[in-house]
Amino acid sequence: MFSTLFSINSRRNLKAFIRKSVNLLENYTKQKLINHGNALHCHLIKMGLSSQKYVAVKLLIMYLDSRKSFEIDQMLKEFNGFNLVVQNCLINANLERGNVTDACQLFDEMPERNEVSWTALISGLLKQGNVDKAMFYFERNPFSNVFSWTAAISGLVQNKLSFQAMRLYKDMLRSRVLPNDITFTSVVRACVDLGDLGLGRSVLGLVVKFGFEDNLCVSNSMVTFFLRLGEYDSAKKIFDRMEEKDVVSWTTILDMYFEMGDLREARRIFDEMPERNEVTWSAIISRFSQSGDAEEAVILFRQMIQHQFKPNVSCYSSVISALANLEALEAGKNIHAHALKIGMEMNVFIGSSLVDLYCKCGNTKDGRLVFDSLPEKNVVCWNSMVSGYSLNGQLAEAIELFNQIPQKNNVSWNSLIAGHLGNKNFAEAFEVFNEMILSGEQPNKSTFSSVLSASANLASLEKGKYVHAKVFKFRFHHDIFMGTALVDMYAKSGSIESSRKIFNRMPTKNEVVWTAMIQGLAENGFAEESLRLFEQMELTSSIPPNELILLSVLFACSHCGLVDKGLHYFNSMEKVYGIKPNERHYTTVVDMLARSGRLSEAEKFIESLPNEPEANTWAALLSGCKIYGEERLAERAAEKLSVAAEKKPGGYVLLSNIYASGGRWIDVMNTRNLMNQKGVKKSGGCSWIEMRNQVHMFYSQVEIHTFSKDMYWVLQLLNGEIQSYFT
DNA sequence: ATAGGGTTAG
């Protein structure tokens, strides 16, 4: 099997043979093909090459890795000529397997040590995350060369100790050791992690001074530096000036356009770049998945496979995440099977996205199965499972799991808050938010958008104001999303002046803010102002009106009796704005006509509709008939309403309310009975007040409040007093 | 000894 290697007839061929053997041994070690390795070993012995230094070291590593103690002993006996190298090699092998104590003991017992021994030990310890021991040896290292300094600096950066890394870098310069290209790439990465623009610029100065500006790796890391600090122009400048560009440079610049939100330019670069590798594919797939285009991410994944690239861990996790967002369970299971096949299902990244996949598809049981099978869970795994339970309404499970998270982060809290929000437990969402603040966790924009939505739903001005103060305190008040959430919250809590103030102060306004403000005004009875704002939006911005804005406009017209104006807007919806009206628009138009007494017009309008209208539409007509005493039309509308009611559970409620307002109590009872028979659940009426920072809830028909008995007793007392006052 | 890509909340 090594026949191609046997034509050794010159010194040059011998060297090539040794190199090839070393490569083969490395591969056999990696793939655990010990039999192949053994065979090669035999051949090497026959050729008298088994004690050649490089070959012997690789053989030793292979036997160490497969724990063949007999062979190890045999080899160690042979190694008298280069003991030091073997010792270094043993130390390395121990460190790679995490045997820190053995490695250190071996090192301490060595009769002599060279530069490599020290550097190997220090960098190995840092790779194992044992910073203290590494620094202990670093301080005692008698050799002061670039390698050990660089090993220490890059090791610290890998352990996220960038500040210490920079301190070491300064010490290095002070002790007059010249940094090399690898030193600079590590140092630049430290600057990225520290987010210090000035520091990075000063490093760049030295890069130029020492003549490394044309080095590929150093330039690539500088591009990354400027990109991560948001200095896109500088990043682009360095990239454009680079004479030599490789896949890494192109992938970095590709990522920059995604970061800037310029998807088209990113796509153009991807299509036109001279070379791609699996990282490039991985980057574009994840970016498309993150920016909400899951379909494109999946298509790209398929293309990647077609181009014969082997997907790596990142790719798998990105594509699973994309499939989770598409709720594509079958395709996801397929990928799960692939991951199992190549033994990657235990990876935290893949595992987390698998948990997410099963939960997003409504299968929390399988999600939990994957979760439980993960041997090393990080906070993301926990968060995925918590939000998975939240998503499926299993809040008890979500809370229980949340409490078990060993090290929570703000996403953990956000997941639970969002869980309460999604299940309409607005007060609980608030409580969790308070706990979060008390625990010292930093809330972010997601936290606030959830909590502001919770206070909008509670319509609690007090709570809303409290959150607003926190938004201010954590300096998010200039953010457009926060502004929008605040405008909406104040509008829903009835403080339209505050909405107006925030809206007016926003320097840039997007579609959502305009929608929130126009809607807020319309729903709070400021119909004219709402219409004025709509007209202002049309004049001063390039934002096209959307469904919701037009609904608000119709609503406003209806409430200030501007029927013809409303009809005008309704008729322009499809023609001018290209928006197809939906059921709610129809209902608002009927409501508008009915309120102003144009009842026959309303009936004709309903007849002209493409589909049978929703129950609400008939209810709007019916209430108009009541105001204007149109008995016969009312009868027809009521009949239609009761037909429509059968289709939708909400219809019965509407019907019973209409009967109730007309005093037709027998019909009310009949409707209620019908609802019970059909098992229609009516969400109970609920009301609440806030007292001393506590919300007290009251439900119709059920006495849930702890003190309801006492309260009814007091009410009775008061009633008695009032009556005695009048008699 | 080094540069580019990854999972969760909204």
Side-chain angles (χ1 to χ4, degrees):
Chain A
M1 82 197 280
F2 307 109
S3 54
T4 50
L5 301 172
F6 290 150
S7 53
I8 306 168
N9 41 30
S10 73
R11 222 195 187 91
R12 240 177 83 205
N13 273 353
L14 185 71
K15 265 196 169 169
F17 177 71
I18 290 173
R19 212 180 310 128
K20 199 141 193 194
S21 304
V22 166
N23 279 339
L24 275 171
L25 284 171
E26 273 181 357
N27 283 336
Y28 293 155
T29 310
K30 225 185 275 169
Q31 293 167 25
K32 312 230 176 282
L33 297 169
I34 302 308
N35 291 339
H36 289 53
N38 252 324
L40 183 54
H41 189 180
C42 290
H43 280 286
L44 287 162
I45 290 173
K46 271 185 212 157
M47 302 171 71
L49 287 173
S50 64
S51 49
Q52 203 280 337
K53 192 160 129 185
Y54 294 107
V55 172
V57 167
K58 291 297 165 193
L59 280 167
L60 183 60
I61 291 177
M62 183 179 78
Y63 289 127
L64 278 166
D65 199 75
S66 53
R67 290 163 215 277
K68 298 264 186 195
S69 40
F70 176 75
E71 282 87 347
I72 294 168
D73 288 343
Q74 283 276 310
M75 296 216 60
L76 284 176
K77 269 182 213 153
E78 287 177 34
F79 285 146
N80 289 324
F82 43 95
N83 233 328
L84 184 60
V85 180
V86 175
Q87 294 275 0
N88 287 345
C89 165
L90 276 172
I91 291 173
N92 258 334
N94 272 308
L95 282 169
E96 267 171 31
R97 254 182 270 131
N99 250 335
V100 172
T101 351
D102 287 356
C104 290
Q105 200 186 339
L106 228 78
F107 182 85
D108 292 339
E109 287 168 0
M110 275 168 85
E112 54 163 343
R113 307 172 191 97
N114 62 8
E115 294 179 331
V116 180
S117 327
W118 285 92
T119 309
L121 182 71
I122 293 165
S123 79
L125 285 170
L126 282 165
K127 264 205 182 132
Q128 291 294 324
N130 203 327
V131 180
D132 293 341
K133 266 217 164 82
M135 287 300 111
F136 173 85
Y137 285 104
F138 180 78
E139 277 158 20
R140 283 157 185 77
N141 184 3
F143 304 97
S144 177
N145 55 19
V146 216
F147 299 109
S148 61
W149 281 102
T150 306
I153 291 171
S154 75
L156 285 172
V157 175
Q158 276 167 12
N159 282 285
K160 307 234 174 239
L161 295 167
S162 298
F163 191 77
Q164 283 90 322
M166 287 313 284
R167 212 164 45 195
L168 226 58
Y169 165 69
K170 279 180 188 155
D171 291 343
M172 175 183 178
L173 293 177
R174 217 173 289 134
S175 58
R176 306 208 170 272
V177 176
L178 291 182
N180 63 14
D181 49 342
I182 296 165
T183 322
F184 278 122
T185 40
S186 305
V187 167
V188 172
R189 207 186 122 187
C191 295
V192 173
D193 292 344
L194 292 169
D196 192 330
L197 190 63
L199 201 62
R201 288 218 170 102
S202 68
V203 172
L204 181 60
L206 282 189
V207 166
V208 175
K209 193 182 155 192
F210 286 112
F212 287 109
E213 56 183 323
D214 293 326
N215 181 284
L216 189 60
C217 293
V218 176
S219 302
N220 281 341
S221 65
M222 285 308 308
V223 175
T224 308
F225 169 76
F226 284 119
L227 148 65
R228 292 280 164 249
L229 279 128
E231 299 279 316
Y232 302 127
D233 291 338
S234 305
K236 187 90 190 1
K237 220 188 241 165
I238 293 184
F239 177 79
D240 287 339
R241 262 209 328 241
M242 286 167 69
E243 277 181 28
E244 190 194 350
K245 296 177 180 105
D246 66 351
V247 212
V248 178
S249 330
W250 282 103
T251 308
T252 311
I253 214 73
L254 168 78
D255 202 48
M256 185 177 93
Y257 282 103
F258 275 117
E259 192 75 37
M260 290 163 72
D262 192 343
L263 295 185
R264 285 184 54 192
E265 185 63 13
R267 188 64 208 234
R268 199 184 65 78
I269 288 188
F270 179 77
D271 290 335
E272 289 174 12
M273 60 202 280
E275 192 191 343
R276 301 174 195 151
N277 63 11
E278 76 281 356
V279 178
T280 321
W281 282 98
S282 176
I284 195 162
I285 291 170
S286 72
R287 286 305 199 157
F288 268 107
S289 172
Q290 285 164 358
S291 47
D293 198 342
E295 284 103 341
E296 191 59 36
V298 176
I299 291 170
L300 281 161
F301 182 76
R302 287 217 191 92
Q303 283 176 3
M304 176 184 179
I305 306 280
Q306 276 165 15
H307 282 78
Q308 316 285 323
F309 282 99
K310 237 177 138 177
N312 55 19
V313 176
S314 311
C315 254
Y316 273 109
S317 54
S318 298
V319 81
I320 293 169
S321 155
L323 291 169
N325 290 331
L326 292 170
E327 295 180 26
L329 187 57
E330 288 312 310
K333 277 183 177 168
N334 198 353
I335 302 280
H336 188 174
H338 275 285
L340 272 164
K341 217 160 127 191
I342 51 172
M344 291 212 277
E345 85 284 3
M346 295 297 190
N347 176 281
V348 270
F349 285 94
I350 293 183
S352 304
S353 18
L354 281 172
V355 170
D356 185 47
L357 168 80
Y358 285 110
C359 292
K360 285 232 170 83
C361 297
N363 194 341
T364 47
K365 270 209 173 111
D366 284 345
R368 183 63 192 249
L369 231 53
V370 175
F371 176 80
D372 285 334
S373 76
L374 294 174
E376 276 175 52
K377 300 176 181 68
N378 65 8
V379 67
V380 180
C381 305
W382 287 90
N383 294 348
S384 298
M385 199 62 231
V386 168
S387 82
Y389 279 135
S390 301
L391 217 62
N392 289 286
Q394 293 170 273
L395 266 173
E397 286 89 340
I399 292 165
E400 202 201 326
L401 211 69
F402 174 84
N403 289 328
Q404 291 170 23
I405 301 180
Q407 280 211 311
K408 299 179 183 77
N409 64 9
N410 53 11
V411 179
S412 321
W413 290 94
N414 290 352
S415 304
L416 192 60
I417 293 173
H420 281 303
L421 186 68
N423 290 282
K424 300 199 187 297
N425 303 335
F426 305 118
E428 285 86 347
F430 226 91
E431 272 167 35
V432 178
F433 172 69
N434 274 330
E435 275 177 52
M436 176 181 182
I437 300 282
L438 283 175
S439 79
E441 189 61 75
Q442 285 279 327
N444 61 12
K445 288 179 202 168
S446 310
T447 321
F448 283 117
S449 75
S450 294
V451 181
L452 283 170
S453 165
S455 22
N457 275 291
L458 284 169
S460 154
L461 189 57
E462 200 177 322
K463 283 202 178 349
K465 275 182 177 167
Y466 166 78
V467 183
H468 189 176
K470 292 278 183 233
V471 168
F472 199 83
K473 192 187 150 194
F474 286 97
R475 322 228 26 97
F476 288 123
H477 51 290
H478 292 305
D479 182 80
I480 188 159
F481 292 100
M482 292 297 98
T484 310
L486 284 166
V487 166
D488 190 51
M489 182 276 293
Y490 277 120
K492 296 236 160 62
S493 309
S495 177
I496 201 75
E497 319 83 63
S498 306
S499 294
R500 222 184 258 137
K501 250 188 220 160
I502 293 165
F503 179 81
N504 288 335
R505 276 192 206 138
M506 291 174 78
T508 48
K509 300 178 176 76
N510 63 12
E511 184 185 326
V512 192
V513 190
W514 282 101
T515 310
M517 195 65 224
I518 292 171
Q519 198 177 13
L521 286 166
E523 281 170 4
N524 278 282
F526 297 88
E528 286 97 343
E529 198 183 336
S530 173
L531 290 173
R532 268 206 303 277
L533 196 66
F534 173 69
E535 278 154 17
Q536 193 191 326
M537 183 186 96
E538 290 222 280
L539 285 174
T540 61
S541 80
S542 55
I543 295 164
N546 58 28
E547 268 185 15
L548 281 172
I549 292 182
L550 286 165
L551 185 66
S552 301
V553 167
L554 293 178
F555 187 84
C557 290
S558 163
H559 282 251
C560 55
L562 293 168
V563 185
D564 291 317
K565 195 169 193 166
L567 286 174
H568 162 76
Y569 280 128
F570 177 79
N571 290 325
S572 340
M573 274 184 75
E574 250 186 302
K575 280 183 223 146
V576 183
Y577 306 119
I579 294 166
K580 221 171 153 337
N582 63 28
E583 288 178 329
R584 289 167 71 193
H585 295 100
Y586 296 143
T587 302
T588 313
V589 171
V590 171
D591 181 65
M592 182 167 71
L593 291 167
R595 271 168 196 271
S596 61
R598 289 157 74 162
L599 291 163
S600 54
E601 218 178 318
E603 195 187 12
K604 263 189 214 130
F605 177 80
I606 294 176
E607 279 163 5
S608 75
L609 292 179
N611 299 315
E612 191 61 27
E614 56 176 2
N616 272 322
T617 316
W618 293 112
L621 182 63
L622 189 58
S623 68
C625 293
K626 247 180 54 198
I627 304 167
Y628 293 98
E630 279 278 351
E631 297 262 329
R632 286 175 60 192
L633 185 52
E635 280 296 323
R636 283 207 294 277
E639 227 167 81
K640 291 281 193 183
L641 178 58
S642 59
V643 175
E646 279 178 27
K647 287 182 194 154
K648 263 191 173 175
Y652 286 111
V653 182
L654 217 56
L655 190 63
S656 118
N657 288 347
I658 294 280
Y659 285 140
S661 65
R664 294 164 64 173
W665 300 111
I666 295 174
D667 288 326
V668 172
M669 257 174 58
N670 287 339
T671 317
R672 289 278 157 118
N673 286 338
L674 213 62
M675 280 167 71
N676 285 336
Q677 273 171 30
K678 299 214 169 178
V680 176
K681 259 192 258 163
K682 176 191 181 299
S683 50
C686 167
S687 161
W688 60 91
I689 52 162
E690 258 182 275
M691 268 172 63
R692 293 194 196 108
N693 229 349
Q694 224 199 329
V695 180
H696 298 261
M697 305 267 236
F698 304 92
Y699 295 89
S700 61
Q701 294 163 347
V702 249
E703 294 176 15
I704 276 181
H705 198 280
T706 334
F707 298 117
S708 37
K709 281 222 167 66
D710 303 286
M711 283 189 265
Y712 278 112
W713 186 77
V714 174
L715 265 177
Q716 233 174 1
L717 207 75
L718 285 172
N719 257 329
E721 294 239 341
I722 292 166
Q723 268 167 20
S724 66
Y725 179 82
F726 282 112
T727 48

mmCIF file of all heavy atoms in Angstrom, chain A residues 251-268:
data_model
loop_
_atom_site.group_PDB
_atom_site.id
_atom_site.type_symbol
_atom_site.label_atom_id
_atom_site.label_comp_id
_atom_site.label_asym_id
_atom_site.label_seq_id
_atom_site.Cartn_x
_atom_site.Cartn_y
_atom_site.Cartn_z
ATOM 1 N N THR A 251 -14.164 36.957 2.396
ATOM 2 C CA THR A 251 -15.243 36.581 3.309
ATOM 3 C C THR A 251 -15.493 37.689 4.334
ATOM 4 O O THR A 251 -16.636 37.974 4.686
ATOM 5 C CB THR A 251 -14.890 35.263 4.022
ATOM 6 O OG1 THR A 251 -14.531 34.306 3.040
ATOM 7 C CG2 THR A 251 -16.071 34.738 4.814
ATOM 8 N N THR A 252 -14.399 38.325 4.761
ATOM 9 C CA THR A 252 -14.547 39.423 5.715
ATOM 10 C C THR A 252 -15.344 40.576 5.115
ATOM 11 O O THR A 252 -16.260 41.102 5.738
ATOM 12 C CB THR A 252 -13.159 39.943 6.152
ATOM 13 O OG1 THR A 252 -12.360 38.842 6.524
ATOM 14 C CG2 THR A 252 -13.289 40.904 7.306
ATOM 15 N N ILE A 253 -14.992 40.938 3.895
ATOM 16 C CA ILE A 253 -15.648 42.089 3.277
ATOM 17 C C ILE A 253 -17.109 41.746 2.938
ATOM 18 O O ILE A 253 -18.005 42.582 3.011
ATOM 19 C CB ILE A 253 -14.848 42.594 2.053
ATOM 20 C CG1 ILE A 253 -14.969 44.113 1.945
ATOM 21 C CG2 ILE A 253 -15.269 41.946 0.770
ATOM 22 C CD1 ILE A 253 -14.188 44.854 2.995
ATOM 23 N N LEU A 254 -17.337 40.476 2.632
ATOM 24 C CA LEU A 254 -18.707 40.003 2.404
ATOM 25 C C LEU A 254 -19.538 40.203 3.669
ATOM 26 O O LEU A 254 -20.653 40.733 3.639
ATOM 27 C CB LEU A 254 -18.660 38.517 2.042
ATOM 28 C CG LEU A 254 -19.970 37.741 2.023
ATOM 29 C CD1 LEU A 254 -20.735 38.052 0.755
ATOM 30 C CD2 LEU A 254 -19.714 36.251 2.116
ATOM 31 N N ASP A 255 -18.941 39.818 4.787
ATOM 32 C CA ASP A 255 -19.622 39.948 6.066
ATOM 33 C C ASP A 255 -19.889 41.408 6.402
ATOM 34 O O ASP A 255 -20.895 41.744 7.014
ATOM 35 C CB ASP A 255 -18.769 39.302 7.151
ATOM 36 C CG ASP A 255 -19.596 38.929 8.347
ATOM 37 O OD1 ASP A 255 -20.648 38.312 8.139
ATOM 38 O OD2 ASP A 255 -19.222 39.282 9.469
ATOM 39 N N MET A 256 -18.963 42.284 5.958
ATOM 40 C CA MET A 256 -19.139 43.701 6.260
ATOM 41 C C MET A 256 -20.411 44.236 5.604
ATOM 42 O O MET A 256 -21.162 44.986 6.223
ATOM 43 C CB MET A 256 -17.939 44.504 5.791
ATOM 44 C CG MET A 256 -18.023 45.957 6.202
ATOM 45 S SD MET A 256 -16.594 46.903 5.731
ATOM 46 C CE MET A 256 -17.132 47.543 4.172
ATOM 47 N N TYR A 257 -20.656 43.850 4.356
ATOM 48 C CA TYR A 257 -21.855 44.361 3.687
ATOM 49 C C TYR A 257 -23.123 43.836 4.347
ATOM 50 O O TYR A 257 -24.129 44.534 4.414
ATOM 51 C CB TYR A 257 -21.802 44.062 2.185
ATOM 52 C CG TYR A 257 -20.882 45.036 1.492
ATOM 53 C CD1 TYR A 257 -19.604 44.670 1.094
ATOM 54 C CD2 TYR A 257 -21.275 46.361 1.312
ATOM 55 C CE1 TYR A 257 -18.745 45.579 0.507
ATOM 56 C CE2 TYR A 257 -20.426 47.281 0.727
ATOM 57 C CZ TYR A 257 -19.161 46.886 0.323
ATOM 58 O OH TYR A 257 -18.323 47.799 -0.233
ATOM 59 N N PHE A 258 -23.062 42.614 4.867
ATOM 60 C CA PHE A 258 -24.209 42.115 5.627
ATOM 61 C C PHE A 258 -24.404 42.948 6.884
ATOM 62 O O PHE A 258 -25.523 43.321 7.241
ATOM 63 C CB PHE A 258 -23.999 40.656 6.006
ATOM 64 C CG PHE A 258 -24.421 39.703 4.925
ATOM 65 C CD1 PHE A 258 -23.499 38.879 4.314
ATOM 66 C CD2 PHE A 258 -25.750 39.624 4.539
ATOM 67 C CE1 PHE A 258 -23.890 37.993 3.322
ATOM 68 C CE2 PHE A 258 -26.148 38.740 3.554
ATOM 69 C CZ PHE A 258 -25.215 37.926 2.947
ATOM 70 N N GLU A 259 -23.278 43.229 7.547
ATOM 71 C CA GLU A 259 -23.308 44.010 8.787
ATOM 72 C C GLU A 259 -23.910 45.397 8.537
ATOM 73 O O GLU A 259 -24.628 45.944 9.371
ATOM 74 C CB GLU A 259 -21.872 44.136 9.313
ATOM 75 C CG GLU A 259 -21.741 44.653 10.716
ATOM 76 C CD GLU A 259 -22.105 43.608 11.751
ATOM 77 O OE1 GLU A 259 -21.791 42.427 11.527
ATOM 78 O OE2 GLU A 259 -22.705 43.989 12.765
ATOM 79 N N MET A 260 -23.610 45.956 7.357
ATOM 80 C CA MET A 260 -24.126 47.280 7.017
ATOM 81 C C MET A 260 -25.578 47.206 6.563
ATOM 82 O O MET A 260 -26.210 48.231 6.322
ATOM 83 C CB MET A 260 -23.294 47.894 5.885
ATOM 84 C CG MET A 260 -21.893 48.284 6.290
ATOM 85 S SD MET A 260 -20.824 48.534 4.856
ATOM 86 C CE MET A 260 -21.456 50.072 4.211
ATOM 87 N N GLY A 261 -26.079 45.984 6.390
ATOM 88 C CA GLY A 261 -27.462 45.826 5.945
ATOM 89 C C GLY A 261 -27.619 45.930 4.443
ATOM 90 O O GLY A 261 -28.731 45.991 3.932
ATOM 91 N N ASP A 262 -26.494 45.959 3.726
ATOM 92 C CA ASP A 262 -26.565 46.059 2.270
ATOM 93 C C ASP A 262 -26.551 44.646 1.662
ATOM 94 O O ASP A 262 -25.530 44.136 1.231
ATOM 95 C CB ASP A 262 -25.376 46.879 1.759
ATOM 96 C CG ASP A 262 -25.540 47.264 0.300
ATOM 97 O OD1 ASP A 262 -26.384 46.654 -0.391
ATOM 98 O OD2 ASP A 262 -24.825 48.179 -0.154
ATOM 99 N N LEU A 263 -27.724 44.016 1.687
ATOM 100 C CA LEU A 263 -27.805 42.626 1.264
ATOM 101 C C LEU A 263 -27.467 42.448 -0.209
ATOM 102 O O LEU A 263 -26.883 41.444 -0.607
ATOM 103 C CB LEU A 263 -29.214 42.079 1.525
ATOM 104 C CG LEU A 263 -29.643 41.991 2.979
ATOM 105 C CD1 LEU A 263 -31.002 41.330 3.098
ATOM 106 C CD2 LEU A 263 -28.630 41.228 3.800
ATOM 107 N N ARG A 264 -27.844 43.442 -1.014
ATOM 108 C CA ARG A 264 -27.621 43.302 -2.458
ATOM 109 C C ARG A 264 -26.140 43.320 -2.792
ATOM 110 O O ARG A 264 -25.667 42.515 -3.586
ATOM 111 C CB ARG A 264 -28.350 44.414 -3.214
ATOM 112 C CG ARG A 264 -29.855 44.159 -3.254
ATOM 113 C CD ARG A 264 -30.575 45.190 -4.083
ATOM 114 N NE ARG A 264 -30.009 45.284 -5.438
ATOM 115 C CZ ARG A 264 -30.303 46.259 -6.273
ATOM 116 N NH1 ARG A 264 -31.115 47.220 -5.907
ATOM 117 N NH2 ARG A 264 -29.777 46.279 -7.482
ATOM 118 N N GLU A 265 -25.414 44.254 -2.156
ATOM 119 C CA GLU A 265 -23.983 44.334 -2.409
ATOM 120 C C GLU A 265 -23.284 43.068 -1.901
ATOM 121 O O GLU A 265 -22.394 42.530 -2.552
ATOM 122 C CB GLU A 265 -23.399 45.585 -1.725
ATOM 123 C CG GLU A 265 -21.937 45.847 -2.007
ATOM 124 C CD GLU A 265 -21.637 46.128 -3.476
ATOM 125 O OE1 GLU A 265 -22.602 46.366 -4.250
ATOM 126 O OE2 GLU A 265 -20.448 46.078 -3.857
ATOM 127 N N ALA A 266 -23.739 42.576 -0.738
ATOM 128 C CA ALA A 266 -23.158 41.349 -0.186
ATOM 129 C C ALA A 266 -23.345 40.206 -1.171
ATOM 130 O O ALA A 266 -22.430 39.441 -1.451
ATOM 131 C CB ALA A 266 -23.809 41.023 1.147
ATOM 132 N N ARG A 267 -24.557 40.115 -1.694
ATOM 133 C CA ARG A 267 -24.853 39.049 -2.641
ATOM 134 C C ARG A 267 -23.987 39.156 -3.895
ATOM 135 O O ARG A 267 -23.480 38.176 -4.407
ATOM 136 C CB ARG A 267 -26.347 39.134 -3.031
ATOM 137 C CG ARG A 267 -26.836 37.985 -3.861
ATOM 138 C CD ARG A 267 -26.742 36.737 -3.039
ATOM 139 N NE ARG A 267 -26.556 35.574 -3.875
ATOM 140 C CZ ARG A 267 -27.334 34.493 -3.830
ATOM 141 N NH1 ARG A 267 -28.331 34.455 -2.975
ATOM 142 N NH2 ARG A 267 -27.096 33.480 -4.592
ATOM 143 N N ARG A 268 -23.794 40.425 -4.338
ATOM 144 C CA ARG A 268 -22.981 40.654 -5.535
ATOM 145 C C ARG A 268 -21.542 40.187 -5.287
ATOM 146 O O ARG A 268 -20.952 39.500 -6.121
ATOM 147 C CB ARG A 268 -22.982 42.146 -5.891
ATOM 148 C CG ARG A 268 -22.564 42.454 -7.316
ATOM 149 C CD ARG A 268 -22.510 43.950 -7.556
ATOM 150 N NE ARG A 268 -21.477 44.613 -6.744
ATOM 151 C CZ ARG A 268 -20.176 44.595 -7.030
ATOM 152 N NH1 ARG A 268 -19.748 43.970 -8.107
ATOM 153 N NH2 ARG A 268 -19.298 45.196 -6.261
#
